[in-house]
Structure formats: C-alpha cells, structure tokens
Amino acid sequence: MSRVCPRISGTPTAAGKHCPKKVGTVPLTVGVLALQGDVDEHRNALSDLGARPVAVRRPSDLAGVDALVIPGGESTAIIKLADAFEMTEPLQHAVQSGVPVLGSCAGMVLLAREVLDGEPGQTTFGGLDITVRRNAFGRQVDSFEEDITIAGVEGGPMRAIFIRAPWVETVGEDVEVLARTSQAYHADKVVAVAQGSVMACSFHPELTPDRRLHALFLQRVKGRSGQ
Amino acid sequence: MSTSDPTTGSATTGTTATTASSTGTVRVKRGMAEMLKGGVIMDVVTAEQAKIAQDAGAVAVMALERVPADIRLEGGVARMSDPDMIEGIIDAVSIPVMAKARIGHFAEAQVLQSIGVDYIDESEVLTPADEVHHINKWDFTVPFVCGATNLGEALRRISEGAAMIRSKGEAGTGNVVEATRHMRQITADIKRLATADEAELFAAAKELRAPIDLVREVAERGTLPVVLFTAGGIATPADAAMMMQLGAQGVFVGSGIFKSGDPAKRAEAIVKATTFAHDPDVVAKVSRGLGEAMVGINVSSLPADQRYADRGW
C-alpha cells in the first residue's frame, strides 16, 4: 500500500490522522458492520487509532478487511437485515476462519454461541463460546455508566456506558474474562471477554473518547497478522 | 457533554461505592438514541402489531392508543395511553418501547417513567397540556425525544434536556411534504452556522432563540449534539430513503404501516429501504407489490388547528 493515506472523510485535514505510526506502517482495514446501529462512533474510534474503517453491508464488502467490528444497535434488527441481505453466512464464515472481530453490546449478543431472552430462533455469527443474556441489566431507566477495570487495558479503569446491556452468563473453557462490573446494583457480572481473535464487551467503548479498548483490539489484530 | 455525575438520579449507586455508578446521565440518554440509528421506529396500538413490527426489523416501537391518522379522524383531546395497554406491549416484545406524553404534561411523563418505557416522546400529536412550557426533561432518568421544525426549536428542546430530536413533519397525513420541509430546514440551518464567525453566532443564537453554547457546539460539530430522526408523513420505502438521504439518521413511521393494506410487508420494506437508502436498486425491489398505501391528506387543505407541527414553542 502506498504511503498516501486514503481519505475516508473527504476532508483534507482529516487525512493525516489515518496514518499515524501507532498501528504499524500499513493501516489496518477494519470493516464495520453497517446494517444498523452506532456505526459512525466505531469508525471514528478506529480512525483515531490510525486504522482504515470501511462500511460492510454486502458480502463483497468483506473482501480485503483485516478485522471486523459489530457495533451497538438492536440485535434483532441487525440479524434480520443480515439474513435478508445474505450476510449471515459470510459473517459466520469470516469469524470461523479467524478474522478478528470486536463486538459491543448488540455486537456481543451477535457473537455469542447462545442468546438467552432473545427472540425465538435468534441466530448469531458465533465466535465466542459464551451464553449472553439480552437486556440483562434491565430497561433504559436502569442503563448506567461506571468505571470498569479491563484486563490488558493499562492506565486505570475505563468509564463504561451500559445501555439496555447484555451480560455474559456462562463462559466456555477457552474464553478469557476481561472485565466484570464493580459497584453497580448487579455486581460481578462478566461484561468483557475474549477468545482467540474475537473480543466483545457489554458496554460501549465507542461512546466515550477513551480509545484504549479499541487500541487493545487493534494490537491483537496486529499480533495475529505479525505486523 | 458532561462526564459522570454521581448525583444524577443514581438509583443503583451502592453506599460503599468507590467508583460511582450512575443512571440517567447525558451519555446514557443520548447513547440510547445512537443505538437506534439507521433503524425504523413504528407506531403500534396492540401487542400483535408490536410483534409484527419487531419481526419486520423495527429497532423500537411507539406504544399508543390511536395512530395519528385516527386521532385526526376522531378528534377530541388526545392523551397519554392507558398504562395497561403500554405494559401489554412492553411484555410482548424485547426491543425498546417508547410512549407519548402531551407537551408540557410532566405528570404523564412521570407515569411513563414509572411503568418503565425506554423513551418518552413529548409529542405534538397529542393535545398540548401547556401552551408555554415544555417538560423539564433534565428531571427524568428516562430519555426524551422531541419534535422540531427548525434548528432553533431543536436546540430549545435539547436545552430542556431532550436526548434525541425528530423532525415533526405532519403526522397522520401520509404526506411527506412537511417532513421534507423540516429536515431541509434543520440541515440548512446547521450548514449556515458552520460558516458563521463568532460575531455571527451571537446573532444566530438570538435569531434561533437558542442558547449560545448549543449554537456554538453545533457550529463546531456541523451536526446536532443528539441523534436526528425524521417523522410525520412517511408512508413508503422511497419516503424513508429520501429522508435518510436528506440527513435523517433514522425514521419514525406512524400511521403509514398499520393503515396500509399489508402492514408486515410494508414494515419490512421500509426497514430495508432505510438501511439501503443510498441504493435505489434495493429501494426499487422492496417497493414492489406492497398493496394499498395509507390514504393521504393534502396538508395545504388542513385547517390551522389541525396542523400538529404548529404545536410546541
């Protein structure tokens, strides 16, 4: 890839921030599933870290991506659109073949092996040997933010935003628990996990300016591709 | 945007908390709307309709007793729905449930918060309860969405605590012309601010009747500080696609779905056209064979007291 940075936003001033040295010399291309949800917030986080985000709506959009992000949103709406536009199988295949994936909130639900309190027959893309309980923390009036300590994230806890959030109810042997809730009404719930190249969190790191979780993900992607 | 404030309605904070956990913060309220982006929110009057909406891929439903088209037809005072009816819908679906309170009717909003709705629409579709004041939405843990016809109105609602804005359009008409007018007005107002210098921003704040801090924030960002949806008259997939291309981040469909010939099919078609608003091939495909659309009303033939968009101040 040339040294000239691709312009995502179309504004000349924004071009520079797509090619810092933080993620190696060649920017990683990260596909963000853009069927519904807070796609732009993940794209901004990835751009800030020097990655090149691209919107993924069609199977052909998956070509050439180094990693994937499944954003927050409404998991039932996202899976229905994925089914309708023949994205479910290509995404399942991508996850199985080892493409690194980060999912937040609905993204975590969509990467789980099993969904509790989902709609009947709610399918997922797989990737994480976990069972996830949808809307586990309650309705919107129960949505909250708190400081969360995440394994692998240095520099102290992160402010985590939980919105009608799921939690992880059971984890398989190969799943690493990265974070649990602390002082909330529901304490000690698993809210961030990793398994191989797949990471997921119940909360929304993309909604705060703190980029450390996305940076951790990109580090893992880099480690995997040997950059 | 404020960061954590442990004093804001923190029902879940433990007494021994060292890292304060807070509900109802600005980020939690506005963030909820971020999760709805690119989606369709549908008016429903029964649990069955709510399930049809969810199955079609709606990101949320608006629970109400009468859709706007019927409110127009039947007249009288339109109020908050029966809590039993709203709870029936909450129990029927797993997606978020919104409900409407009358403009200024903070007690209706308190009731809606108490029964656990996920978002309150302080709506001009219902008969206003206060002709001077809107609800002080900062008082609530539950977030609010409000209608606006222009940027000044949107910023006044945000200054009162609204966490999401929708263009008003003219609900219950099946006529997209007012939604178009309001979306174009809001985005044109924002573009104008983006090129204004500091002195012009003070004048703009005065003209918009909006707080200077919010005006400055919009000028810097080039967008509203909250999510902007569209509403009021959207009846077809092409309507939804047009509004998304005009800058809406998602779509409310009121009477347009369940007043049409084949609600399930139309609902799904509007969802797909919203996601693929920029792909005319998809919009063309989903627009085929939808059956009867809702009967439209020419907005210009509506008497002044039947124009809901004029409600709100």
Side-chain angles (χ1 to χ4, degrees):
Chain A
M1 197 174 282
S2 78
R3 278 158 202 269
V4 179
C5 202
R7 277 202 223 156
I8 312 270
S9 68
T11 56
T13 48
K17 72 179 179 187
H18 295 301
C19 34
K21 309 285 183 272
K22 290 176 202 158
V23 224
T25 48
V26 178
L28 290 167
T29 300
V30 183
V32 182
L33 187 63
L35 295 173
Q36 190 273 315
D38 69 335
V39 178
D40 290 343
E41 286 64 28
H42 276 289
R43 293 182 62 144
N44 293 340
L46 294 163
S47 294
D48 286 352
L49 294 165
R52 191 174 80 89
V54 294
V56 172
R57 286 192 192 86
R58 302 280 198 182
S60 57
D61 297 332
L62 288 168
V65 303
D66 299 308
L68 279 167
V69 170
I70 316 289
E74 207 41 55
S75 62
T76 54
I78 294 172
I79 198 72
K80 272 169 222 296
L81 284 161
D83 284 346
F85 291 92
E86 290 166 354
M87 280 298 292
T88 306
E89 275 181 37
L91 284 166
Q92 284 168 341
H93 183 257
V95 174
Q96 274 162 23
S97 65
V99 174
V101 192
L102 170 68
S104 68
C105 196
M108 175 190 256
V109 173
L110 290 165
L111 292 169
R113 180 177 51 77
E114 195 189 346
V115 181
L116 307 172
D117 292 344
E119 288 308 309
Q122 185 168 347
T123 53
T124 69
F125 308 132
L128 289 171
D129 184 14
I130 58 174
T131 52
V132 155
R133 188 170 294 281
R134 236 178 117 220
N135 306 335
F137 287 100
R139 305 195 67 81
Q140 174 60 16
V141 286
D142 307 308
S143 293
F144 64 100
E145 52 175 87
E146 71 169 24
D147 291 341
I148 295 282
T149 301
I150 300 157
V153 169
E154 287 168 13
M158 282 181 74
R159 195 71 182 165
I161 316 285
F162 293 84
I163 296 173
R164 286 172 52 92
W167 68 47
V168 179
E169 201 133 309
T170 64
V171 297
E173 275 180 14
D174 300 329
V175 177
E176 193 187 341
V177 172
L178 299 181
R180 295 171 187 271
T181 48
S182 54
Q183 306 294 339
Y185 182 66
H186 296 286
D188 212 32
K189 298 294 178 188
V190 175
V191 291
V193 292
Q195 181 177 8
S197 52
V198 182
M199 269 176 77
C201 51
S202 304
F203 52 91
H204 294 282
E206 71 278 13
L207 288 185
T208 65
D210 189 338
R211 301 302 190 212
R212 286 178 290 162
L213 193 71
H214 285 85
L216 177 67
F217 173 64
L218 292 178
Q219 254 173 37
R220 292 173 82 113
V221 178
K222 250 193 324 178
R224 184 182 164 276
S225 61
Q227 276 189 34
Chain B
M1 206 178 282
S2 80
T3 52
S4 64
D5 178 1
T7 60
T8 45
S10 162
T12 61
T13 306
T15 46
T16 58
T18 51
T19 52
S21 173
S22 314
T23 57
T25 64
V26 168
R27 282 198 295 216
V28 163
K29 289 174 170 180
R30 292 182 180 179
M32 170 75 208
E34 303 284 354
M35 300 312 138
L36 303 172
K37 284 193 300 190
V40 182
I41 299 165
M42 303 180 190
D43 277 5
V44 297
V45 300
T46 64
E48 289 67 40
Q49 289 187 354
K51 281 184 203 151
I52 291 171
Q54 177 171 271
D55 287 345
V59 290
V61 290
M62 178 76 69
L64 70 177
E65 266 169 1
R66 293 181 288 173
V67 294
D70 288 333
I71 292 174
R72 281 190 188 285
L73 205 66
E74 292 162 20
V77 174
R79 313 179 179 92
M80 175 188 79
S81 299
D82 184 332
D84 270 349
M85 177 268 168
I86 297 169
E87 272 181 359
I89 287 171
I90 287 176
D91 291 342
V93 293
S94 61
I95 56 176
V97 176
M98 301 183 167
K100 289 182 195 288
R102 283 180 264 177
I103 289 173
H105 207 315
F106 52 85
E108 283 189 349
Q110 288 162 356
V111 169
L112 293 174
Q113 173 165 290
S114 148
I115 62 178
V117 305
D118 295 298
Y119 238 94
I120 295 176
D121 184 1
E122 186 183 16
S123 178
E124 70 280 3
V125 169
L126 304 184
T127 310
D130 189 325
E131 294 191 333
V132 179
H133 310 95
H134 281 251
I135 297 169
N136 176 8
K137 293 165 275 284
W138 297 112
D139 276 352
F140 291 78
T141 307
V142 68
F144 281 74
V145 55
C146 288
T149 58
N150 56 49
L151 180 61
E153 200 175 358
L155 296 183
R156 287 195 294 280
R157 296 297 84 81
I158 294 167
S159 72
E160 297 155 2
M164 179 181 186
I165 295 293
R166 55 174 173 76
S167 62
K168 279 182 175 171
E170 194 56 47
T173 61
N175 186 340
V176 81
V177 66
E178 294 301 304
T180 306
R181 190 191 317 281
H182 301 155
M183 274 308 303
R184 282 198 182 276
Q185 185 66 51
I186 292 168
T187 51
D189 290 346
I190 292 173
K191 277 183 209 153
R192 199 163 52 90
L193 280 192
T195 57
D197 65 28
E198 189 66 18
E200 288 168 328
L201 288 183
F202 286 107
K206 192 176 161 193
E207 188 191 320
L208 292 167
R209 294 189 291 130
I212 181 66
D213 291 349
L214 276 177
V215 169
R216 198 175 279 129
E217 189 179 351
V218 171
E220 280 165 10
R221 296 167 53 112
T223 61
L224 288 181
V226 302
V227 167
L228 172 64
F229 267 47
T230 187
I234 288 95
T236 70
D239 286 349
M242 177 166 83
M243 301 315 291
M244 293 296 285
Q245 290 188 50
L246 286 176
Q249 292 175 294
V251 180
F252 283 87
V253 187
S255 321
I257 290 171
F258 290 99
K259 285 282 159 190
S260 74
D262 188 343
K265 195 168 179 191
R266 183 168 296 264
E268 201 177 311
I270 292 176
V271 167
K272 289 176 179 169
T274 300
T275 295
F276 288 89
H278 294 271
D279 187 338
D281 292 344
V282 172
V283 181
K285 194 175 163 200
V286 302
S287 297
R288 294 170 198 273
L290 293 181
E292 287 285 306
M294 74 176 281
V295 179
I297 297 174
N298 276 318
V299 177
S300 54
S301 68
L302 283 175
D305 67 341
Q306 291 300 307
R307 288 177 182 239
Y308 298 159
D310 296 340
R311 297 168 171 179
W313 11 92

